[in-house]
Amino acid sequence: MKKQTAGHQQLGDFAPQFAHYNDDLLFGEVWADETVLSPKLRSMLTLSALISGGNFAQVEPHLKMAKENGVTKDEISALITHLAFYVGWPKAWSAFNLAKEIYH
């Protein structure tokens, strides 16, 4: 997995501690630990949580990461369709609009 630097790039000067936790702890340690969960499964779980919470500003970059981690168009489509019944149809529509752009 490539090193995450978004926290330092976007918030490093304003919130250095948060940037450290984002890049070094969350992505540097948690995401990098493949002993139990693969990056592909982590992506699917993370997208499920983000879509469920309606956190669509974070859905787009995580969809890109999911694609890099091997989540296919068919899998992302099935994931969002499944979530629609549990988290709401409008959230699924919003997620599909983002996924279409990334998985075109």
Side-chain angles (χ1 to χ4, degrees):
M1 177 171 211
K2 68 180 181 178
K3 176 146 174 60
Q4 176 65 257
T5 59
H8 289 292
Q9 290 174 353
Q10 295 176 26
L11 295 173
D13 291 338
F14 187 76
Q17 188 174 25
F18 182 86
H20 162 70
Y21 293 148
N22 183 80
D23 295 355
D24 302 326
L25 184 60
L26 174 59
F27 287 99
E29 292 184 31
V30 175
W31 269 86
D33 181 3
E34 296 180 30
T35 56
V36 178
L37 299 177
S38 68
K40 180 178 179 175
L41 183 54
R42 283 186 195 277
S43 284
M44 294 177 83
L45 291 167
T46 301
L47 282 167
S48 295
L50 293 173
I51 293 167
S52 297
N55 300 304
F56 291 100
Q58 289 76 35
V59 169
E60 182 177 356
H62 277 280
L63 280 167
K64 291 175 182 173
M65 185 184 299
K67 188 175 180 182
E68 290 173 12
N69 287 337
V71 179
T72 67
K73 178 184 150 295
D74 290 341
E75 289 170 328
I76 204 66
S77 178
L79 179 126
I80 296 169
T81 300
H82 183 79
L83 285 175
F85 291 94
Y86 291 92
V87 305
W89 217 253
K91 288 178 181 174
W93 269 104
S94 296
F96 271 125
N97 285 330
L98 293 169
K100 276 179 43 180
E101 294 295 316
I102 292 158
Y103 282 88
H104 50 70

